[in-house]
Amino acid sequence: MSASSPSHSERAHRSWWRRLLSQPLIWAALCLALTLPWTLNERGMDVVPFILTLVGGWLIGVAFVNWTLRMQPVSRGVIVHVGVAVVATTAMIVGVEGGGAFIRGLPEALRGPVVMGQLALIPAICWTLLGLVSRVTVLARRPARNLRTVPEWVEDRTGVTVAFHAVPMRLRTLYGWGIALAALVAVVISIPIVNDAVPRWANQSPMIFLAAAAITALPPYLVFRAVCARRTRSVVVRFTPRGLTLTEDGVSVQIPLSRVTRLVWSASGETCRVELEAPAADRSLLLSVARHDRGVSAELPPLRARTVSWLAEAGLILVGPTGSRAKRSPAWVFEHAFDQPKS
């Protein structure tokens, strides 16, 4: 191994940081923490802390929805999603309609944080409800008496193949769209507040802000889904003992496994995707936002044991979650344990 090449421990450390920084709750905590100087000085409704609060709340909603989508069996995730959505929405209505006396009874130092916490719940609940809309849409598309099927591996003498639909998109693009949506909602809601143009009846019923957030977020959300549907591609991935073939809309590229530097195989959830890094290809194919055939789920089959052994023989080792954590996180991450031989 050359001195300039990263060691296995360095790769694992880098992968650990990559996983940490991709956690929505980390960014939510950072956004909400940044609002504290304003909040503690009774300036929480200034533009900067106002937007940070809404973005932080949205990230909490994203983390919750993703968590329910990873739950197994799927019915458990649906029950938890619906239950929390109902309880949170009810609590919000009760809190903003009848919680004025409660807030006035709090110590002065706590009033600002409690009010900002209520404000953060608005985008969190909105995203939770949008997630429910997505689940209802999936159920509506489900053919009667037929369960949605997961794409399956097709085996032959030389390898295994799976076909699915996906959109070429990086996770950071998906998260960036979400942040942009949250920022849009924050700006639209903050304009009348900053200009002191909020009607008195709206001030008396803060749930109007929840409705305004939902009305603002739904059109761009539907546009995003439509764009993803147009960009959906038919993808075929084939593994053999020595190589990987990636086909998108009939265009194929063949890559020796020994040349693959990183492979991510995320089987389900909002981050369901295939990521491939190699000299001949650098692709990220996201399934969760793609348009799928009727009766086909936006999921990938787990990697076969023989496929994992082929990857190991080529120098790719599993650096993603293992054990009980692997059951909660469906992503398999493989990276090279040693340098590639020069061709």
Side-chain angles (χ1 to χ4, degrees):
M1 181 179 297
S2 63
S4 61
S5 301
S7 64
H8 170 53
S9 61
E10 290 172 336
R11 289 179 181 271
H13 180 74
R14 183 178 59 190
S15 179
W16 179 81
W17 273 104
R18 182 181 293 166
R19 292 196 301 271
L20 179 66
L21 294 178
S22 66
Q23 298 300 316
L25 283 179
I26 299 293
W27 294 103
L30 178 61
C31 288
L32 297 177
L34 289 175
T35 66
L36 287 178
W38 284 279
T39 302
L40 296 177
N41 286 283
E42 299 182 354
R43 296 181 58 190
M45 298 307 288
D46 287 358
V47 174
V48 173
F50 186 85
I51 292 178
L52 285 174
T53 299
L54 291 183
V55 171
W58 167 76
L59 288 168
I60 292 173
V62 169
F64 170 73
V65 172
N66 288 349
W67 176 60
T68 62
L69 290 172
R70 290 195 299 266
M71 284 186 173
Q72 296 296 331
V74 175
S75 57
R76 180 187 302 169
V78 173
I79 292 172
V80 172
H81 195 159
V82 173
V84 171
V86 171
V87 171
T89 303
T90 303
M92 172 63 77
I93 294 173
V94 173
V96 299
E97 294 294 345
F102 169 74
I103 293 176
R104 287 191 295 271
L106 291 173
E108 188 174 349
L110 293 179
R111 293 176 188 172
V114 170
V115 171
M116 297 306 287
Q118 287 184 328
L119 183 63
L121 283 178
I122 292 176
I125 294 174
C126 281
W127 192 259
T128 301
L129 295 177
L130 282 175
L132 277 180
V133 171
S134 178
R135 286 186 184 272
V136 170
T137 301
V138 169
L139 291 173
R141 291 177 178 175
R142 181 174 298 177
R145 301 182 180 178
N146 288 325
L147 296 176
R148 294 177 70 85
T149 59
V150 178
E152 297 182 353
W153 292 105
V154 177
E155 295 193 54
D156 54 37
R157 293 182 180 179
T158 59
V160 294
T161 305
V162 64
F164 53 90
H165 287 167
V167 175
M169 181 182 295
R170 298 278 178 186
L171 267 186
R172 60 175 176 266
T173 302
L174 178 64
Y175 291 145
W177 168 84
I179 293 173
L181 177 60
L184 172 65
V185 173
V187 169
V188 170
I189 295 178
S190 64
I191 288 175
I193 294 176
V194 172
N195 292 289
D196 197 21
V198 180
R200 181 177 300 177
W201 58 268
N203 282 326
Q204 294 174 351
S205 180
M207 283 305 295
I208 296 298
F209 291 107
L210 177 60
I215 293 172
T216 304
L218 190 56
Y221 174 78
L222 295 176
V223 169
F224 175 78
R225 296 294 301 184
V227 170
C228 289
R230 288 182 61 85
R231 295 189 62 203
T232 297
R233 298 183 180 181
S234 297
V235 181
V236 178
V237 175
R238 176 174 175 79
F239 288 98
T240 65
R242 295 187 178 276
L244 180 154
T245 302
L246 177 65
T247 304
E248 297 181 46
D249 284 345
V251 179
S252 299
V253 58
Q254 296 182 353
I255 308 166
L257 291 182
S258 61
R259 303 291 294 173
V260 176
T261 57
R262 188 169 187 267
L263 174 67
V264 177
W265 192 272
S266 182
S268 61
E270 286 296 314
T271 61
C272 180
R273 71 198 187 279
V274 176
E275 288 185 10
L276 175 65
E277 294 181 12
D282 186 1
R283 305 295 292 158
S284 177
L285 301 168
L286 197 59
L287 279 76
S288 58
V289 297
R291 180 180 59 190
H292 299 274
D293 295 334
R294 292 179 64 87
V296 179
S297 179
E299 297 180 62
L300 287 169
L303 290 174
R304 294 289 180 87
R306 62 187 294 200
T307 306
V308 176
S309 67
W310 293 340
L311 296 172
E313 290 172 3
L316 287 158
I317 63 170
L318 182 64
V319 298
T322 56
S324 60
R325 190 179 172 198
K327 296 178 181 179
R328 299 193 301 270
S329 176
W332 294 54
V333 182
F334 297 88
E335 291 185 355
H336 252 295
F338 48 80
D339 286 344
Q340 298 300 327
K342 294 183 179 179
S343 56

